[in-house]
Amino acid sequence: MITGTLLHTLLCGRQVGTDEFGNRYYEARKNPRTGERRRRWVLFKGEIEASKVPPHWHAWLHYTTDAPIVVSTHAWEKPHTKNMTGSSSAYVPPGDDRAGGRRAPATGDYEPWRPA
């Protein structure tokens, strides 16, 4: 965690809540000036990873809702996984060079463009 952010949080922040990952959510204590909104931010537990913010807290951070409203989860929902883009565990579709470069054969409906 960045020391400046932690110090600013201790001096100027009011904790609003925490999520299932242990992230803590804050908003500014003092009232904003006319036409401005109260500043909101999150202190991540562990690695700073933006994809760890649940949807209801994301809506609160971006002023979509005034309070984080927890929507019930469904049986078909998967648990959160870290964004793996750029890592060796990233999704690689079939036919990609990183997956061997083998594509399924064309079905015959493809005609390559040929200049006239």
Side-chain angles (χ1 to χ4, degrees), residues 1-2 5 21 34 36 39 42-43 46-47 53-54 57 64-66 72-73 76 80 82 86 95 101 109 113 115-116:
M1 189 175 314
I2 300 172
T5 304
F21 303 114
T34 305
E36 293 181 355
R39 185 168 178 236
V42 59
L43 292 181
E47 182 183 8
V53 176
W57 281 107
T64 304
T65 61
D66 291 331
S72 62
T73 57
W76 48 263
H80 175 268
K82 178 179 163 182
D109 61 348
W113 177 79

PDB file of all heavy atoms in Angstrom, residues 1-2 5 21 34 36 39 42-43 46-47 53-54 57 64-66 72-73 76 80 82 86 95 101 109 113 115-116:
ATOM      1  N   MET A   1       0.842  -1.168   0.000  1.00  0.00           N
ATOM      2  CA  MET A   1       0.000   0.000   0.000  1.00  0.00           C
ATOM      3  C   MET A   1       0.890   1.235   0.000  1.00  0.00           C
ATOM      4  O   MET A   1       1.914   1.267   0.664  1.00  0.00           O
ATOM      5  CB  MET A   1      -0.904  -0.043   1.222  1.00  0.00           C
ATOM      6  CG  MET A   1      -1.943   1.007   1.209  1.00  0.00           C
ATOM      7  SD  MET A   1      -3.122   0.906   2.567  1.00  0.00           S
ATOM      8  CE  MET A   1      -3.540  -0.799   2.618  1.00  0.00           C
ATOM      9  N   ILE A   2       0.494   2.234  -0.700  1.00  0.00           N
ATOM     10  CA  ILE A   2       1.277   3.455  -0.810  1.00  0.00           C
ATOM     11  C   ILE A   2       1.089   4.276   0.463  1.00  0.00           C
ATOM     12  O   ILE A   2      -0.034   4.511   0.926  1.00  0.00           O
ATOM     13  CB  ILE A   2       0.849   4.248  -2.054  1.00  0.00           C
ATOM     14  CG1 ILE A   2       1.083   3.387  -3.302  1.00  0.00           C
ATOM     15  CG2 ILE A   2       1.587   5.563  -2.133  1.00  0.00           C
ATOM     16  CD1 ILE A   2       0.530   3.967  -4.562  1.00  0.00           C
ATOM     17  N   THR A   5      -1.202   7.451   0.357  1.00  0.00           N
ATOM     18  CA  THR A   5      -2.635   7.136   0.314  1.00  0.00           C
ATOM     19  C   THR A   5      -3.126   6.716   1.692  1.00  0.00           C
ATOM     20  O   THR A   5      -4.212   7.114   2.125  1.00  0.00           O
ATOM     21  CB  THR A   5      -2.910   6.012  -0.703  1.00  0.00           C
ATOM     22  OG1 THR A   5      -2.412   6.410  -1.971  1.00  0.00           O
ATOM     23  CG2 THR A   5      -4.392   5.710  -0.804  1.00  0.00           C
ATOM     24  N   PHE A  21     -13.309  -9.654  -0.085  1.00  0.00           N
ATOM     25  CA  PHE A  21     -11.877  -9.834  -0.310  1.00  0.00           C
ATOM     26  C   PHE A  21     -11.040  -9.102   0.741  1.00  0.00           C
ATOM     27  O   PHE A  21      -9.820  -9.172   0.726  1.00  0.00           O
ATOM     28  CB  PHE A  21     -11.485  -9.349  -1.702  1.00  0.00           C
ATOM     29  CG  PHE A  21     -12.243 -10.036  -2.794  1.00  0.00           C
ATOM     30  CD1 PHE A  21     -13.130  -9.325  -3.575  1.00  0.00           C
ATOM     31  CD2 PHE A  21     -12.075 -11.385  -3.038  1.00  0.00           C
ATOM     32  CE1 PHE A  21     -13.841  -9.948  -4.582  1.00  0.00           C
ATOM     33  CE2 PHE A  21     -12.782 -12.016  -4.032  1.00  0.00           C
ATOM     34  CZ  PHE A  21     -13.670 -11.304  -4.802  1.00  0.00           C
ATOM     35  N   THR A  34     -19.814  23.184  -3.669  1.00  0.00           N
ATOM     36  CA  THR A  34     -21.005  23.176  -4.510  1.00  0.00           C
ATOM     37  C   THR A  34     -20.663  22.683  -5.907  1.00  0.00           C
ATOM     38  O   THR A  34     -19.698  23.131  -6.513  1.00  0.00           O
ATOM     39  CB  THR A  34     -21.604  24.599  -4.595  1.00  0.00           C
ATOM     40  OG1 THR A  34     -21.847  25.055  -3.270  1.00  0.00           O
ATOM     41  CG2 THR A  34     -22.901  24.594  -5.386  1.00  0.00           C
ATOM     42  N   GLU A  36     -19.607  19.688  -6.674  1.00  0.00           N
ATOM     43  CA  GLU A  36     -18.658  18.574  -6.638  1.00  0.00           C
ATOM     44  C   GLU A  36     -19.267  17.418  -5.851  1.00  0.00           C
ATOM     45  O   GLU A  36     -20.201  17.597  -5.077  1.00  0.00           O
ATOM     46  CB  GLU A  36     -17.347  19.001  -5.978  1.00  0.00           C
ATOM     47  CG  GLU A  36     -16.568  20.008  -6.779  1.00  0.00           C
ATOM     48  CD  GLU A  36     -15.258  20.384  -6.111  1.00  0.00           C
ATOM     49  OE1 GLU A  36     -15.003  19.930  -4.969  1.00  0.00           O
ATOM     50  OE2 GLU A  36     -14.490  21.137  -6.717  1.00  0.00           O
ATOM     51  N   ARG A  39     -15.449  12.616  -2.553  1.00  0.00           N
ATOM     52  CA  ARG A  39     -14.460  11.697  -3.126  1.00  0.00           C
ATOM     53  C   ARG A  39     -14.568  10.321  -2.489  1.00  0.00           C
ATOM     54  O   ARG A  39     -14.755  10.200  -1.276  1.00  0.00           O
ATOM     55  CB  ARG A  39     -13.066  12.269  -2.890  1.00  0.00           C
ATOM     56  CG  ARG A  39     -11.991  11.464  -3.541  1.00  0.00           C
ATOM     57  CD  ARG A  39     -10.675  12.200  -3.528  1.00  0.00           C
ATOM     58  NE  ARG A  39      -9.689  11.335  -4.137  1.00  0.00           N
ATOM     59  CZ  ARG A  39      -8.567  10.958  -3.542  1.00  0.00           C
ATOM     60  NH1 ARG A  39      -8.263  11.411  -2.358  1.00  0.00           N
ATOM     61  NH2 ARG A  39      -7.733  10.163  -4.155  1.00  0.00           N
ATOM     62  N   VAL A  42     -10.757   3.179  -2.641  1.00  0.00           N
ATOM     63  CA  VAL A  42     -10.640   1.839  -2.055  1.00  0.00           C
ATOM     64  C   VAL A  42      -9.188   1.585  -1.671  1.00  0.00           C
ATOM     65  O   VAL A  42      -8.265   2.015  -2.367  1.00  0.00           O
ATOM     66  CB  VAL A  42     -11.147   0.756  -3.041  1.00  0.00           C
ATOM     67  CG1 VAL A  42     -10.378   0.778  -4.335  1.00  0.00           C
ATOM     68  CG2 VAL A  42     -11.062  -0.634  -2.440  1.00  0.00           C
ATOM     69  N   LEU A  43      -8.984   0.908  -0.539  1.00  0.00           N
ATOM     70  CA  LEU A  43      -7.677   0.418  -0.136  1.00  0.00           C
ATOM     71  C   LEU A  43      -7.728  -1.101  -0.278  1.00  0.00           C
ATOM     72  O   LEU A  43      -8.509  -1.773   0.404  1.00  0.00           O
ATOM     73  CB  LEU A  43      -7.356   0.790   1.311  1.00  0.00           C
ATOM     74  CG  LEU A  43      -7.141   2.268   1.598  1.00  0.00           C
ATOM     75  CD1 LEU A  43      -6.817   2.474   3.076  1.00  0.00           C
ATOM     76  CD2 LEU A  43      -6.041   2.841   0.747  1.00  0.00           C
ATOM     77  N   GLY A  46      -3.804  -6.754   0.184  1.00  0.00           N
ATOM     78  CA  GLY A  46      -2.867  -7.526  -0.629  1.00  0.00           C
ATOM     79  C   GLY A  46      -2.550  -6.799  -1.929  1.00  0.00           C
ATOM     80  O   GLY A  46      -2.371  -5.582  -1.950  1.00  0.00           O
ATOM     81  N   GLU A  47      -2.529  -7.562  -3.001  1.00  0.00           N
ATOM     82  CA  GLU A  47      -2.168  -7.022  -4.312  1.00  0.00           C
ATOM     83  C   GLU A  47      -3.205  -6.006  -4.794  1.00  0.00           C
ATOM     84  O   GLU A  47      -4.407  -6.215  -4.647  1.00  0.00           O
ATOM     85  CB  GLU A  47      -2.068  -8.173  -5.311  1.00  0.00           C
ATOM     86  CG  GLU A  47      -1.649  -7.745  -6.692  1.00  0.00           C
ATOM     87  CD  GLU A  47      -1.623  -8.901  -7.669  1.00  0.00           C
ATOM     88  OE1 GLU A  47      -2.069  -9.998  -7.326  1.00  0.00           O
ATOM     89  OE2 GLU A  47      -1.153  -8.682  -8.785  1.00  0.00           O
ATOM     90  N   VAL A  53     -12.659  -5.632  -7.267  1.00  0.00           N
ATOM     91  CA  VAL A  53     -13.764  -4.814  -6.766  1.00  0.00           C
ATOM     92  C   VAL A  53     -15.076  -5.446  -7.227  1.00  0.00           C
ATOM     93  O   VAL A  53     -15.334  -5.545  -8.417  1.00  0.00           O
ATOM     94  CB  VAL A  53     -13.658  -3.358  -7.270  1.00  0.00           C
ATOM     95  CG1 VAL A  53     -14.864  -2.552  -6.832  1.00  0.00           C
ATOM     96  CG2 VAL A  53     -12.377  -2.717  -6.767  1.00  0.00           C
ATOM     97  N   PRO A  54     -15.936  -5.892  -6.280  1.00  0.00           N
ATOM     98  CA  PRO A  54     -17.216  -6.492  -6.661  1.00  0.00           C
ATOM     99  C   PRO A  54     -18.122  -5.467  -7.345  1.00  0.00           C
ATOM    100  O   PRO A  54     -17.972  -4.256  -7.156  1.00  0.00           O
ATOM    101  CB  PRO A  54     -17.819  -6.936  -5.329  1.00  0.00           C
ATOM    102  CG  PRO A  54     -16.682  -6.984  -4.378  1.00  0.00           C
ATOM    103  CD  PRO A  54     -15.707  -5.956  -4.843  1.00  0.00           C
ATOM    104  N   TRP A  57     -19.769  -2.653  -5.212  1.00  0.00           N
ATOM    105  CA  TRP A  57     -18.830  -1.621  -4.758  1.00  0.00           C
ATOM    106  C   TRP A  57     -18.344  -0.789  -5.931  1.00  0.00           C
ATOM    107  O   TRP A  57     -18.077   0.404  -5.797  1.00  0.00           O
ATOM    108  CB  TRP A  57     -17.660  -2.247  -3.998  1.00  0.00           C
ATOM    109  CG  TRP A  57     -18.025  -2.606  -2.599  1.00  0.00           C
ATOM    110  CD1 TRP A  57     -18.223  -3.843  -2.089  1.00  0.00           C
ATOM    111  CD2 TRP A  57     -18.267  -1.685  -1.523  1.00  0.00           C
ATOM    112  NE1 TRP A  57     -18.573  -3.761  -0.760  1.00  0.00           N
ATOM    113  CE2 TRP A  57     -18.604  -2.443  -0.387  1.00  0.00           C
ATOM    114  CE3 TRP A  57     -18.238  -0.299  -1.410  1.00  0.00           C
ATOM    115  CZ2 TRP A  57     -18.904  -1.866   0.840  1.00  0.00           C
ATOM    116  CZ3 TRP A  57     -18.527   0.274  -0.185  1.00  0.00           C
ATOM    117  CH2 TRP A  57     -18.854  -0.504   0.925  1.00  0.00           C
ATOM    118  N   THR A  64     -22.831   5.443  -9.186  1.00  0.00           N
ATOM    119  CA  THR A  64     -24.034   4.898  -9.810  1.00  0.00           C
ATOM    120  C   THR A  64     -25.101   4.676  -8.750  1.00  0.00           C
ATOM    121  O   THR A  64     -26.288   4.842  -9.017  1.00  0.00           O
ATOM    122  CB  THR A  64     -23.712   3.571 -10.529  1.00  0.00           C
ATOM    123  OG1 THR A  64     -22.654   3.818 -11.463  1.00  0.00           O
ATOM    124  CG2 THR A  64     -24.909   3.023 -11.265  1.00  0.00           C
ATOM    125  N   THR A  65     -24.680   4.307  -7.550  1.00  0.00           N
ATOM    126  CA  THR A  65     -25.592   4.146  -6.417  1.00  0.00           C
ATOM    127  C   THR A  65     -25.068   4.956  -5.237  1.00  0.00           C
ATOM    128  O   THR A  65     -23.873   5.252  -5.153  1.00  0.00           O
ATOM    129  CB  THR A  65     -25.704   2.666  -5.988  1.00  0.00           C
ATOM    130  OG1 THR A  65     -24.416   2.214  -5.589  1.00  0.00           O
ATOM    131  CG2 THR A  65     -26.231   1.801  -7.115  1.00  0.00           C
ATOM    132  N   ASP A  66     -25.994   5.310  -4.331  1.00  0.00           N
ATOM    133  CA  ASP A  66     -25.588   6.044  -3.130  1.00  0.00           C
ATOM    134  C   ASP A  66     -25.090   5.119  -2.035  1.00  0.00           C
ATOM    135  O   ASP A  66     -24.366   5.535  -1.141  1.00  0.00           O
ATOM    136  CB  ASP A  66     -26.756   6.867  -2.599  1.00  0.00           C
ATOM    137  CG  ASP A  66     -27.099   8.018  -3.531  1.00  0.00           C
ATOM    138  OD1 ASP A  66     -26.183   8.514  -4.218  1.00  0.00           O
ATOM    139  OD2 ASP A  66     -28.275   8.417  -3.567  1.00  0.00           O
ATOM    140  N   SER A  72     -28.207 -10.587  -4.612  1.00  0.00           N
ATOM    141  CA  SER A  72     -27.985 -11.999  -4.304  1.00  0.00           C
ATOM    142  C   SER A  72     -27.284 -12.698  -5.468  1.00  0.00           C
ATOM    143  O   SER A  72     -27.493 -12.356  -6.628  1.00  0.00           O
ATOM    144  CB  SER A  72     -29.314 -12.691  -4.003  1.00  0.00           C
ATOM    145  OG  SER A  72     -30.144 -12.639  -5.140  1.00  0.00           O
ATOM    146  N   THR A  73     -26.458 -13.655  -5.130  1.00  0.00           N
ATOM    147  CA  THR A  73     -25.736 -14.393  -6.164  1.00  0.00           C
ATOM    148  C   THR A  73     -26.587 -15.556  -6.649  1.00  0.00           C
ATOM    149  O   THR A  73     -27.500 -16.014  -5.958  1.00  0.00           O
ATOM    150  CB  THR A  73     -24.392 -14.917  -5.627  1.00  0.00           C
ATOM    151  OG1 THR A  73     -24.657 -15.738  -4.487  1.00  0.00           O
ATOM    152  CG2 THR A  73     -23.478 -13.776  -5.234  1.00  0.00           C
ATOM    153  N   TRP A  76     -25.382 -20.168 -10.951  1.00  0.00           N
ATOM    154  CA  TRP A  76     -24.559 -20.255 -12.153  1.00  0.00           C
ATOM    155  C   TRP A  76     -23.371 -19.297 -12.129  1.00  0.00           C
ATOM    156  O   TRP A  76     -22.516 -19.361 -12.999  1.00  0.00           O
ATOM    157  CB  TRP A  76     -25.406 -20.014 -13.402  1.00  0.00           C
ATOM    158  CG  TRP A  76     -26.293 -18.805 -13.329  1.00  0.00           C
ATOM    159  CD1 TRP A  76     -27.612 -18.783 -12.987  1.00  0.00           C
ATOM    160  CD2 TRP A  76     -25.927 -17.451 -13.591  1.00  0.00           C
ATOM    161  NE1 TRP A  76     -28.092 -17.505 -13.017  1.00  0.00           N
ATOM    162  CE2 TRP A  76     -27.070 -16.647 -13.391  1.00  0.00           C
ATOM    163  CE3 TRP A  76     -24.742 -16.820 -13.978  1.00  0.00           C
ATOM    164  CZ2 TRP A  76     -27.073 -15.283 -13.554  1.00  0.00           C
ATOM    165  CZ3 TRP A  76     -24.754 -15.444 -14.150  1.00  0.00           C
ATOM    166  CH2 TRP A  76     -25.906 -14.697 -13.940  1.00  0.00           C
ATOM    167  N   HIS A  80     -14.943 -15.194  -8.111  1.00  0.00           N
ATOM    168  CA  HIS A  80     -14.005 -14.256  -8.740  1.00  0.00           C
ATOM    169  C   HIS A  80     -12.654 -14.912  -9.012  1.00  0.00           C
ATOM    170  O   HIS A  80     -12.149 -15.686  -8.188  1.00  0.00           O
ATOM    171  CB  HIS A  80     -13.788 -13.051  -7.830  1.00  0.00           C
ATOM    172  CG  HIS A  80     -12.758 -12.109  -8.345  1.00  0.00           C
ATOM    173  ND1 HIS A  80     -11.434 -12.207  -7.995  1.00  0.00           N
ATOM    174  CD2 HIS A  80     -12.837 -11.081  -9.211  1.00  0.00           C
ATOM    175  CE1 HIS A  80     -10.751 -11.262  -8.615  1.00  0.00           C
ATOM    176  NE2 HIS A  80     -11.577 -10.567  -9.354  1.00  0.00           N
ATOM    177  N   LYS A  82      -8.746 -13.705 -10.638  1.00  0.00           N
ATOM    178  CA  LYS A  82      -7.910 -12.566 -10.990  1.00  0.00           C
ATOM    179  C   LYS A  82      -7.837 -12.414 -12.515  1.00  0.00           C
ATOM    180  O   LYS A  82      -7.901 -13.399 -13.245  1.00  0.00           O
ATOM    181  CB  LYS A  82      -6.517 -12.814 -10.413  1.00  0.00           C
ATOM    182  CG  LYS A  82      -5.510 -11.774 -10.703  1.00  0.00           C
ATOM    183  CD  LYS A  82      -4.203 -12.160 -10.040  1.00  0.00           C
ATOM    184  CE  LYS A  82      -3.067 -11.383 -10.636  1.00  0.00           C
ATOM    185  NZ  LYS A  82      -1.797 -11.761 -10.073  1.00  0.00           N
ATOM    186  N   GLY A  86      -2.098 -11.138 -20.043  1.00  0.00           N
ATOM    187  CA  GLY A  86      -0.677 -10.832 -20.047  1.00  0.00           C
ATOM    188  C   GLY A  86       0.169 -11.823 -19.282  1.00  0.00           C
ATOM    189  O   GLY A  86       1.391 -11.709 -19.258  1.00  0.00           O
ATOM    190  N   GLY A  95      -6.283 -22.263 -32.260  1.00  0.00           N
ATOM    191  CA  GLY A  95      -5.823 -21.688 -33.517  1.00  0.00           C
ATOM    192  C   GLY A  95      -4.817 -20.571 -33.339  1.00  0.00           C
ATOM    193  O   GLY A  95      -4.179 -20.148 -34.300  1.00  0.00           O
ATOM    194  N   GLY A 101      -1.012 -23.051 -33.153  1.00  0.00           N
ATOM    195  CA  GLY A 101      -1.321 -22.518 -34.474  1.00  0.00           C
ATOM    196  C   GLY A 101      -2.171 -23.404 -35.354  1.00  0.00           C
ATOM    197  O   GLY A 101      -2.269 -23.189 -36.552  1.00  0.00           O
ATOM    198  N   ASP A 109     -17.266 -22.367 -47.021  1.00  0.00           N
ATOM    199  CA  ASP A 109     -18.045 -21.173 -47.327  1.00  0.00           C
ATOM    200  C   ASP A 109     -17.176 -19.919 -47.394  1.00  0.00           C
ATOM    201  O   ASP A 109     -17.671 -18.832 -47.606  1.00  0.00           O
ATOM    202  CB  ASP A 109     -19.155 -20.983 -46.300  1.00  0.00           C
ATOM    203  CG  ASP A 109     -18.611 -20.795 -44.887  1.00  0.00           C
ATOM    204  OD1 ASP A 109     -17.410 -21.042 -44.684  1.00  0.00           O
ATOM    205  OD2 ASP A 109     -19.390 -20.418 -44.010  1.00  0.00           O
ATOM    206  N   TRP A 113     -10.504 -12.949 -50.948  1.00  0.00           N
ATOM    207  CA  TRP A 113     -10.632 -11.833 -51.858  1.00  0.00           C
ATOM    208  C   TRP A 113      -9.462 -11.874 -52.848  1.00  0.00           C
ATOM    209  O   TRP A 113      -8.324 -12.109 -52.491  1.00  0.00           O
ATOM    210  CB  TRP A 113     -10.606 -10.529 -51.090  1.00  0.00           C
ATOM    211  CG  TRP A 113     -10.666  -9.317 -51.955  1.00  0.00           C
ATOM    212  CD1 TRP A 113     -11.770  -8.778 -52.540  1.00  0.00           C
ATOM    213  CD2 TRP A 113      -9.562  -8.493 -52.328  1.00  0.00           C
ATOM    214  NE1 TRP A 113     -11.425  -7.677 -53.254  1.00  0.00           N
ATOM    215  CE2 TRP A 113     -10.071  -7.480 -53.151  1.00  0.00           C
ATOM    216  CE3 TRP A 113      -8.201  -8.523 -52.070  1.00  0.00           C
ATOM    217  CZ2 TRP A 113      -9.275  -6.487 -53.704  1.00  0.00           C
ATOM    218  CZ3 TRP A 113      -7.397  -7.546 -52.627  1.00  0.00           C
ATOM    219  CH2 TRP A 113      -7.944  -6.543 -53.430  1.00  0.00           C
ATOM    220  N   PRO A 115      -7.862  -9.550 -56.047  1.00  0.00           N
ATOM    221  CA  PRO A 115      -7.996  -8.276 -56.776  1.00  0.00           C
ATOM    222  C   PRO A 115      -8.373  -8.535 -58.241  1.00  0.00           C
ATOM    223  O   PRO A 115      -7.961  -9.508 -58.848  1.00  0.00           O
ATOM    224  CB  PRO A 115      -6.624  -7.633 -56.662  1.00  0.00           C
ATOM    225  CG  PRO A 115      -5.693  -8.730 -56.274  1.00  0.00           C
ATOM    226  CD  PRO A 115      -6.495  -9.780 -55.610  1.00  0.00           C
ATOM    227  N   ALA A 116      -9.186  -7.668 -58.766  1.00  0.00           N
ATOM    228  CA  ALA A 116      -9.661  -7.840 -60.167  1.00  0.00           C
ATOM    229  C   ALA A 116      -8.620  -7.399 -61.167  1.00  0.00           C
ATOM    230  O   ALA A 116      -7.727  -6.687 -60.985  1.00  0.00           O
ATOM    231  CB  ALA A 116     -10.941  -7.037 -60.354  1.00  0.00           C
TER     232      ALA A 116
END
